Amino acid sequence: MKIRTLKLREAHKPSAAYGAANGSSFCSILWDQQARHLVTASSSDSGISIHDALLPSTTPKILRHHRDGVTALALSPNSTCLASGSIDNSVKLYKFPGGEFETNITRFTLPIRALAFNQSGSMLAAAGDDDGIKLINTVDGSIARVLKGHKGSVTGLAFDPMGEYLASIDSMGTVLFWELQSGTILHTLKGVAPNTGLDTSLVNILSWSPDGEMLAVPGLRNDVVMYDRDTAEKVFTLRGDHLLPLCFLSWSPNGKYMATSSLDRQVLIWDVLKKQDIDRQKFEDRICCMAWKPVGNTLAVVDVSGKYGLWESVVPSSMKSPTEDIPQSSKKSNGLLLFEEEGQEPCSSGSLGDNGEDSIGESGPPSRKRIRKRSEFDEDRSTENTIDDYGLLPQRMAPKRAREQLDKGANEELRSTAISVRSKMQEAFQPGVTPVQPGKRRFLCYNMLGTITTMEYDGYSHIEIDFHDTSRGPRVPAMTDHFGFTMACLNENGSVFANPCKGDKNMSTLMYRPFSSWANNSEWYMRFEGEEVKVVALGVHWVAAITSLNYLRIFTDGGLQKHILSLDGPAVTASGSKNRLAVVTHASNCLPSNDQVLEFHVFDIRNGTRPSRGRLPLSPGSHLIWFGFSEEGLLSSYDSKGVLRVYTSQYGGSWLPLFSANKTKKSDENYWVVGLNASKLFCIVCKSPEVFPQVMPKPILTLLDLSSPLASSDLGADVLENEFILNNLHLFQIQKRIEESSSDGRDTTELDDEAFSTEAAQDRCILRLIASCCNSDKLVRATELVKLLTLEKSMKGAIKLVTALKLPNLADRFNNILEERMLNETKDMSEAAGVAVNQGSGLGRNGTSSEVSSEPSCIPSSSTTLSAPHFVKKVVNRGAQKGRSDHNQTAREVQPEAATSGGSAELRTTAAAGNQETSRTSNPFLKSSSNHEGAAKEAMCQRPPSNPFKKSVK
Amino acid sequence: MAGQSGSQLSLFTPDEVEFMAEDELVEIVPNLRMDSLNFICGDYGPFYPQIAIQVPLWLALALKKRGKCTIRPPQWMSIDNLTQVLEGERESHAFQSLPFHYVEISRLLFDHARDDIPEIYMARSLVEDIRDVRFHKVETNLENFTASAVTWKNMAAMEVNIIRAFSGRALQAFYRHENEQLIPDLDRTQDRQPQNLNDRPRRNLRPR
């Protein structure tokens, strides 16, 4: 293993004045929640240092309030309050990060050894050489409980992240599990940790895993032992290369890794799931405390001589970051997701490695369920409330109840959003909106065109409309909004706003504001009595609003009320593009598994039709977070599990998953989708835990490749397979558009060109897939792929490829396929020839449009016959009897041409040749119509032998 | 000692070095839609609003002046990184790794893209500090310049430029002293050459 040296800088001088045992003292270190500050303390120094983590060279702020060495530090989860315990028997509270002394919250008769905050910060546990653990209300300093049971001095305390238990350990190595609700000992584990004796620089500690499922305790055999949360049974141990007993351990914020330090001066990093050490570092002195940086991949360490340092990139970059998936891990076990995100898994006490979370008051039902289901969450809350109501809480809690209720009020808000998102039918939302943040500007609408932002002041809001393309979009003056708009939509022509109703006075209002109009005063308002606008959408010359009465109201851009439709269910969201409006509604209540049951409807506003409707699929347990049209006009949705789906008419209309955030996700990134085109997803990348962007600084769009969630194939050519699928989809879309426009009688030349180039690209991709199939000996698959090739040239290329790869067997098969195809063509030819004879010279005169538009109808979805049109063209002009021999000639001529280039290069040349051919054949009828009219016979005679394809076209 | 301002001693003027630095790529976020630009140095674009793209510094600055883009300051210009580098510079004898053109790039960005750099005053003073420390290092290094192998890693363009002429000639001098009898007339020719280089007519670059 690589040996590195970590440079440590001195924070506390080991001095003899405070009687440090043999020059070593117990030092503590911890991060604040945002990783802006590091706090260190030493048991031989009465000062607490607050270091600026960004500028380590600046002198730290030193708090000198203790009269003796500081043995324990703890930071409240929101990093506003610092607690310190000292040998001078007192526990003091400070403001953080300012460091102003607040109060002596409690006093003991003997030195303090351990401190821990619970998750809400409302309770502090303190213990030391005295025989009781004090639970202190941080609000009023009252002592809620004294937990007596340890025989030696208590050196480690940890609140369980779910708020039900407190674990403590003493210097004799005894671990106790306390139930907070009743204050009773649940389990006693005697002598499971080493006996540290009288050396105060060495303490026993313990720590809950961030998800609260396990308690990590140093074991007797230089290992870490994990105990089950409920049964206190040994789950597993982490044993490795520590030669001496452990002196500290710390979970990474996501609980995937653990850092342990030992008396042998090594620090080991463990992958907890694999139970394996992944890295180590040896230090000059024993490391007595460590803290993972709450954001980033860094471990802060401090040794017994008071020197601290930062170990950067602790976890190798190839592995998951230690801060990735924090919410995920906590989601598993408790319902307070949002709350916890707010708290951001603080390393609330470095010295204790504690991640305690809930206060007693919030600890939920007394029953000890292993995993509380989210669906039970509501119930939980009600039981909790009844607990409060019936005064089941210990009487001693009374003084702090009032304040706690306040705290809870604040949390309730967060929770209720969490619930609405989780176990209820999801609320209506506007795509591209970000939630309200007090004092900050937020997006009402963010799309590929521009943004609408709002900022709330006293009684009014300030709305700005900006276009991304400053050179083209109209300049829109900012406006003052007295309605309090919360929904908005933007397109090239105008913007629409709406507000929910707030009481009787403030009715729900819809406002449309065109950007340019020939008439003055062309903005208009609509008011809704007893009805509330839920979602708005905007298209070309229409405005749609969906209301709480499940009405879909359609207005013209002049403000005419054109249609009012009743929708099937409560609206979730809507999106408009050109003349199409897509609406998502709830089809029924949530499934017990928390799956939303959604339905979508697409309306064609101009024609007054409903082209498609159906269920809107979502990943299990997720909800819809974005909905809209791609640049090409395909309906797309994005759910909270990060799966993007696009609606196609394949299989009679179905949703294809085209992107999955899990597959591409880099560590700690969230994608906030804005739009997509045929091959890319446009999104704003937000660093976790943030899930939406801020207005300032202006977010930039990131392009991500679309990729189907392919299974890991034995081929190892994922990129090609992905390209294959996307090309197929693309081809399908083009053909559908060709059909549509040809049925409308529009010119499809451009689409044809696009189709041909896509076909060529697809052939190139297939050829490369064939190559990789051959290389990995998947010959059947290669044969299947050959059948999918469109162009004759590509087929020949494939034959040459397998010949070069020395697979004669396969080459034979390919030849057979080719011949079979040609036979089919001959049949087609004879039919087509009949047509040609009948139509005679009329063909040429009929002109481009009719001929081309008839062509797509010859392109059915099966690609075996896709190549038919080319040959049909040929045949039309040549006559049936010559067709066969001519093909042979073609084959002969092409062979030497391509045979000159060998090996893999051949691939490219054939592909290129295929491309060339398409460009040539793509507009054959232009030529035929311009060169001569109805001179089919003539064309047959002038036959430049060098290029049969070109000629065949004439 | 080869002074920082001794432009007659160095091969290129600072302006010229800056000119060369303008070919470095930076990331910009355009706020307009524009097709690809085809230059001798390569094709850049197409540009889409709010989507970051890499372009040469000169193009970035040209667009910036017209208010068509914002420049994203490079990674190494973050306060975090600069603080770290400065610390490393102060503590170790070696040069910390920084882009070859860090002096020029940072100067151009500080001058022209002031609003795009977060905490510009901090960043600017850090870069200046780093530059001073490193220039000082260059000078002290020159003091113990010997004929033996000279390895200075991570030197930047401006720093190299300061010592280029001096060190070249110094090495020649060492060489001459060692092999005096072998090449008696080398010094004249060698001496003249850099002189010629220095005396070449300089074209003043158009200031930005």
Side-chain angles (χ1 to χ4, degrees):
Chain A
M1 208 165 269
K2 205 167 53 178
I3 294 174
R4 282 157 306 179
T5 50
L6 192 66
K7 204 171 53 197
L8 299 183
R9 45 173 70 233
E10 190 159 271
H12 303 274
K13 282 202 174 71
S15 69
Y18 298 107
N22 51 39
S24 62
S25 45
F26 180 76
C27 299
S28 336
I29 190 162
L30 47 90
W31 287 97
D32 76 349
Q33 181 196 335
Q34 267 106 31
R36 296 216 180 100
H37 302 276
L38 264 175
V39 187
T40 58
S42 159
S43 66
S44 62
D45 184 359
S46 62
I48 301 164
S49 307
I50 302 179
H51 307 264
D52 191 330
L54 298 180
L55 298 167
S57 49
T58 52
T59 40
K61 192 181 290 172
I62 296 178
L63 315 177
R64 288 194 190 280
H65 294 280
H66 282 294
R67 279 178 288 117
D68 210 329
V70 179
T71 48
L73 285 178
L75 203 52
S76 70
N78 56 3
S79 287
T80 54
C81 179
L82 177 71
S84 66
S86 160
I87 303 177
D88 70 5
N89 313 345
S90 67
V91 178
K92 294 177 196 283
L93 288 189
Y94 312 85
K95 280 193 181 129
F96 194 80
E100 295 88 2
F101 172 71
E102 229 167 52
T103 171
N104 270 319
I105 195 148
T106 191
R107 233 170 241 291
F108 281 62
T109 50
L110 286 169
I112 318 291
R113 300 287 171 202
L115 288 175
F117 274 105
N118 69 355
Q119 175 66 20
S120 64
S122 61
M123 181 157 299
L124 178 70
D129 297 353
D130 276 27
D131 68 345
I133 302 167
K134 285 187 188 174
L135 296 182
I136 309 153
N137 286 326
T138 49
V139 179
D140 53 5
S142 65
I143 291 175
R145 216 179 257 287
V146 180
L147 306 172
K148 291 196 180 183
H150 278 291
K151 300 237 159 45
S153 77
V154 179
T155 55
L157 290 171
F159 278 98
D160 137 48
M162 294 185 214
E164 287 177 43
Y165 312 129
L166 173 74
S168 58
I169 187 167
D170 62 25
S171 57
M172 330 242 288
T174 302
V175 175
L176 295 184
F177 283 62
W178 305 86
E179 180 164 23
L180 284 171
Q181 192 84 9
S182 58
T184 53
I185 298 174
L186 285 176
H187 306 285
T188 308
L189 305 171
K190 227 174 197 168
V192 293
N195 188 337
T196 55
L198 297 171
D199 183 359
T200 51
S201 76
L202 177 61
V203 298
N204 267 331
I205 52 101
L206 76 183
S207 175
W208 291 96
S209 66
D211 62 4
E213 290 297 325
M214 283 182 294
L215 179 71
V217 179
L220 294 169
R221 286 188 278 181
N222 312 336
D223 51 358
V224 183
V225 186
M226 306 288 177
Y227 295 95
D228 185 85
R229 141 191 194 79
D230 294 308
T231 60
E233 280 164 343
K234 202 186 265 191
V235 185
F236 61 87
T237 62
L238 298 178
R239 193 172 330 153
D241 290 340
H242 277 311
L243 306 169
L244 290 169
L246 262 67
C247 49
F248 200 84
L249 56 87
S250 173
W251 290 90
S252 73
N254 63 357
K256 285 197 167 47
Y257 306 100
M258 176 183 275
T260 58
S261 77
S262 144
L263 291 173
D264 62 10
R265 296 173 186 173
Q266 284 190 96
V267 171
L268 261 63
I269 308 296
W270 300 83
D271 185 321
V272 177
L273 281 183
K274 293 189 186 140
K275 308 181 183 65
Q276 216 170 27
D277 54 327
I278 51 178
D279 204 355
R280 75 180 63 183
Q281 185 142 307
K282 190 140 178 142
F283 290 86
E284 275 172 33
D285 234 327
R286 190 207 322 156
I287 298 297
C288 58
C289 189
M290 297 174 289
W292 289 84
K293 195 172 181 177
V295 283
N297 185 4
T298 302
L299 184 71
V301 298
V302 63
D303 70 6
V304 289
S305 56
K307 295 201 191 84
Y308 80 102
L310 296 181
W311 180 354
E312 306 275 355
S313 44
V314 187
V315 173
S317 51
S318 55
M319 304 179 71
K320 279 199 166 177
S321 143
T323 49
E324 192 179 332
D325 291 342
I326 299 176
Q328 234 77 29
S329 63
S330 48
K331 219 187 266 174
K332 244 185 289 168
S333 50
N334 75 46
L336 303 178
L337 167 70
L338 284 186
F339 183 57
E340 192 157 296
E341 269 184 335
E342 292 294 302
Q344 223 206 4
E345 278 298 319
C347 240
S348 59
S349 144
S351 64
L352 300 162
D354 165 76
N355 280 303
E357 186 184 43
D358 259 2
S359 75
I360 291 178
E362 289 176 349
S363 62
S367 63
R368 286 186 237 92
K369 273 175 233 148
R370 252 195 86 85
I371 296 171
R372 279 191 257 160
K373 289 252 169 64
R374 281 168 220 144
S375 52
E376 290 169 0
F377 194 71
D378 265 346
E379 204 186 316
D380 280 3
R381 276 179 64 220
S382 59
T383 29
E384 196 178 288
N385 289 339
T386 48
I387 290 174
D388 276 2
D389 293 344
Y390 294 106
L392 289 179
L393 279 177
Q395 273 308 307
R396 262 169 284 186
M397 297 299 211
K400 69 158 201 172
R401 274 266 292 281
R403 180 59 85 97
E404 196 139 274
Q405 222 68 40
L406 270 178
D407 285 357
K408 270 175 85 177
N411 299 341
E412 214 86 290
E413 230 178 75
L414 285 166
R415 276 204 231 167
S416 60
T417 57
I419 292 157
S420 71
V421 160
R422 286 155 149 255
S423 55
K424 281 190 189 154
M425 285 156 68
Q426 78 176 97
E427 296 267 314
F429 73 98
Q430 194 74 31
V433 74
T434 57
V436 189
Q437 304 150 271
K440 279 189 187 164
R441 194 159 266 282
R442 64 157 177 148
F443 288 113
L444 282 184
C445 173
Y446 192 120
N447 58 24
M448 291 304 292
L449 203 67
T451 61
I452 300 179
T453 58
T454 183
M455 169 99 164
E456 218 168 299
Y457 296 99
D458 276 345
Y460 68 97
S461 306
H462 186 250
I463 290 185
E464 281 176 15
I465 301 175
D466 295 294
F467 284 87
H468 295 317
D469 191 339
T470 47
S471 59
R472 261 167 241 190
R475 260 170 206 278
V476 185
M479 63 181 209
T480 310
D481 147 38
H482 296 280
F483 293 95
F485 292 132
T486 60
M487 292 159 262
C489 209
L490 171 79
N491 72 3
E492 294 87 348
N493 306 317
S495 54
V496 60
F497 298 88
N499 64 321
C501 60
K502 280 180 258 161
D504 292 337
K505 279 185 199 165
N506 206 339
M507 268 187 288
S508 185
T509 311
L510 180 77
M511 181 189 115
Y512 178 74
R513 194 180 184 210
F515 293 140
S516 57
S517 172
W518 54 269
N520 288 336
N521 220 354
S522 49
E523 61 181 50
W524 48 263
Y525 296 84
M526 297 284 160
R527 316 184 95 206
F528 299 95
E529 272 174 60
E531 199 176 347
E532 192 180 27
V533 179
K534 289 288 188 190
V535 184
V536 292
L538 201 53
V540 174
H541 303 308
W542 56 265
V543 176
I546 302 167
T547 66
S548 54
L549 299 180
N550 298 346
Y551 289 153
L552 168 62
R553 294 172 174 272
I554 295 164
F555 306 87
T556 63
D557 58 355
L560 183 68
Q561 307 206 28
K562 215 169 168 194
H563 305 286
I564 302 173
L565 310 176
S566 242
L567 288 174
D568 294 351
V572 178
T573 188
S575 178
S577 147
K578 304 217 177 85
N579 52 2
R580 286 192 299 160
L581 166 69
V583 179
V584 179
T585 58
H586 284 288
S588 82
N589 204 348
C590 271
L591 298 181
S593 57
N594 259 329
D595 293 338
Q596 305 285 338
V597 189
L598 304 182
E599 228 178 353
F600 75 96
H601 309 262
V602 180
F603 298 93
D604 189 317
I605 304 290
R606 198 176 53 189
N607 304 329
T609 57
R610 178 150 69 174
S612 50
R613 62 179 293 187
R615 276 288 164 79
L616 181 77
L618 291 175
S619 306
S622 69
H623 55 270
L624 187 65
I625 55 175
W626 182 83
F627 186 72
F629 288 94
S630 75
E631 306 266 281
E632 283 79 23
L634 295 177
L635 202 55
S636 326
S637 74
Y638 190 77
D639 67 30
S640 59
K641 289 269 165 74
V643 179
L644 177 88
R645 293 182 178 81
V646 173
Y647 185 76
T648 71
S649 44
Q650 272 171 318
Y651 293 100
S654 49
W655 292 85
L656 306 186
L658 281 188
F659 177 82
S660 173
N662 298 337
K663 294 231 168 182
T664 44
K665 203 169 200 168
K666 281 175 228 141
S667 60
D668 61 20
E669 281 185 357
N670 288 318
Y671 303 126
W672 196 76
V673 174
V674 173
L676 68 152
N677 67 13
S679 58
K680 301 271 183 194
L681 175 70
F682 302 96
C683 63
I684 297 171
V685 175
C686 304
K687 285 263 175 281
S688 249
E690 240 133 75
V691 289
F692 54 84
Q694 301 293 338
V695 177
M696 291 301 289
K698 215 171 176 186
I700 64 152
L701 293 175
T702 308
L703 301 180
L704 297 172
D705 286 321
L706 292 184
S707 60
S708 318
L710 290 169
S712 313
S713 140
D714 46 3
L715 203 57
D718 296 351
V719 182
L720 285 176
E721 285 182 286
N722 184 38
E723 192 185 331
F724 174 69
I725 291 193
L726 287 182
N727 275 339
N728 257 349
L729 176 68
H730 195 190
L731 211 55
F732 180 81
Q733 299 303 338
I734 294 173
Q735 280 158 14
K736 197 164 157 274
R737 288 219 314 266
I738 291 176
E739 269 170 46
E740 271 170 18
S741 44
S742 64
S743 65
D744 288 0
R746 269 174 283 152
D747 185 23
T748 57
T749 333
E750 220 167 89
L751 285 172
D752 283 339
D753 287 354
E754 203 183 333
F756 278 124
S757 60
T758 317
E759 273 167 13
Q762 179 71 323
D763 276 5
R764 242 169 296 161
C765 172
I766 292 177
L767 280 174
R768 263 183 280 157
L769 267 175
I770 292 176
S772 63
C773 277
C774 292
N775 286 333
S776 50
D777 223 22
K778 305 278 180 252
L779 300 185
V780 179
R781 214 175 297 173
T783 324
E784 284 167 356
L785 282 166
V786 166
K787 288 181 186 155
L788 298 179
L789 285 170
T790 322
L791 308 171
E792 194 196 0
K793 265 221 161 136
S794 322
M795 291 198 68
K796 286 180 181 138
I799 295 170
K800 261 167 263 149
L801 175 75
V802 290
T803 322
L805 289 172
K806 305 227 164 57
L807 295 165
N809 186 14
L810 207 55
D812 277 353
R813 268 177 194 285
F814 285 10
N815 260 324
N816 289 343
I817 294 169
L818 183 61
E819 265 168 36
E820 202 175 303
R821 191 182 278 193
M822 284 176 168
L823 262 177
N824 288 343
E825 278 148 18
T826 346
K827 277 182 204 157
D828 289 347
M829 264 187 317
S830 46
E831 286 160 26
V835 177
V837 168
N838 290 345
Q839 289 190 340
S841 57
L843 235 181
R845 247 180 262 131
N846 276 354
T848 329
S849 65
S850 72
E851 178 61 26
V852 172
S853 58
S854 74
E855 185 195 33
S857 55
C858 310
I859 305 180
S861 50
S862 127
S863 34
T864 345
T865 42
L866 266 179
S867 60
H870 309 289
F871 300 111
V872 171
K873 280 173 224 151
K874 220 182 284 174
V875 166
V876 163
N877 294 325
R878 277 194 201 167
Q881 63 280 25
K882 294 220 173 184
R884 179 76 208 174
S885 65
D886 197 56
H887 276 303
N888 292 338
Q889 188 194 338
T890 315
R892 247 176 278 125
E893 275 168 3
V894 173
Q895 223 119 32
E897 175 194 318
T900 47
S901 53
S904 61
E906 202 170 70
L907 234 178
R908 215 167 289 148
T909 46
T910 46
N915 211 2
Q916 220 177 1
E917 187 205 19
T918 48
S919 60
R920 231 177 264 140
T921 46
S922 57
N923 51 1
F925 297 102
L926 283 177
K927 271 182 209 154
S928 69
S929 55
S930 60
N931 286 359
H932 45 262
E933 291 190 353
K937 262 193 170 179
E938 241 178 69
M940 267 201 293
C941 305
Q942 353 169 310
R943 189 181 295 169
S946 60
N947 196 331
F949 282 97
K950 190 173 178 184
K951 173 208 71 316
S952 71
V953 148
K954 284 188 177 166
Chain B
M1 203 86 299
Q4 290 174 25
S5 54
S7 60
Q8 72 279 5
L9 281 178
S10 44
L11 222 46
F12 302 108
T13 64
D15 283 346
E16 285 167 326
V17 180
E18 188 182 285
F19 179 78
M20 290 182 253
E22 285 179 8
D23 277 339
E24 294 285 305
L25 294 182
V26 290
E27 206 170 42
I28 62 163
V29 181
N31 59 12
L32 80 171
R33 168 83 183 79
M34 188 160 66
D35 283 333
S36 278
L37 299 171
N38 307 317
F39 299 121
I40 297 173
C41 58
D43 296 349
Y44 297 98
F47 299 86
Y48 298 99
Q50 290 310 113
I51 292 175
I53 188 171
Q54 298 250 337
V55 295
L57 187 54
W58 60 265
L59 179 58
L61 294 176
L63 286 172
K64 175 77 193 167
K65 264 186 222 163
R66 286 159 185 76
K68 301 292 184 204
C69 75
T70 52
I71 299 178
R72 303 188 82 195
Q75 278 291 307
W76 59 265
M77 265 177 75
S78 69
I79 301 287
D80 267 354
N81 186 51
L82 288 177
T83 331
Q84 224 167 0
V85 166
L86 179 57
E87 224 171 293
E89 248 1 299
R90 283 195 173 134
E91 274 168 22
S92 95
H93 194 66
F95 291 98
Q96 302 296 303
S97 110
L98 272 176
F100 188 56
H101 288 294
Y102 83 96
V103 182
E104 304 89 307
I105 294 175
S106 58
R107 217 202 99 160
L108 285 169
L109 291 188
F110 289 143
D111 286 355
H112 298 283
R114 214 160 294 162
D115 42 342
D116 296 341
I117 301 165
E119 301 180 69
I120 180 163
Y121 290 106
M122 189 70 190
R124 178 174 225 154
S125 73
L126 279 169
V127 169
E128 271 165 17
D129 286 353
I130 291 172
R131 201 193 55 198
D132 290 347
V133 173
R134 289 175 63 127
F135 278 18
H136 177 76
K137 239 185 246 183
V138 169
E139 293 194 358
T140 44
N141 274 353
L142 279 182
E143 275 168 30
N144 3 330
F145 189 85
T146 58
S148 59
V150 183
T151 47
W152 296 347
K153 276 189 189 162
N154 293 333
M155 275 183 75
M158 278 295 182
E159 293 149 10
V160 171
N161 195 38
I162 293 169
I163 61 158
R164 180 181 277 123
F166 169 79
S167 57
R169 285 200 306 195
L171 283 173
Q172 278 160 16
F174 283 129
Y175 188 65
R176 213 168 50 226
H177 291 316
E178 274 178 15
N179 312 298
E180 229 162 338
Q181 65 279 40
L182 291 179
I183 11 173
D185 58 341
L186 187 74
D187 57 342
R188 225 172 296 133
T189 53
Q190 291 298 325
D191 248 354
R192 211 182 304 130
Q193 204 184 351
Q195 212 56 45
N196 286 347
L197 275 173
N198 285 333
D199 291 345
R200 85 202 139 95
R202 285 188 187 277
R203 214 175 71 189
N204 279 334
L205 292 170
R206 191 162 55 91
R208 283 200 161 273

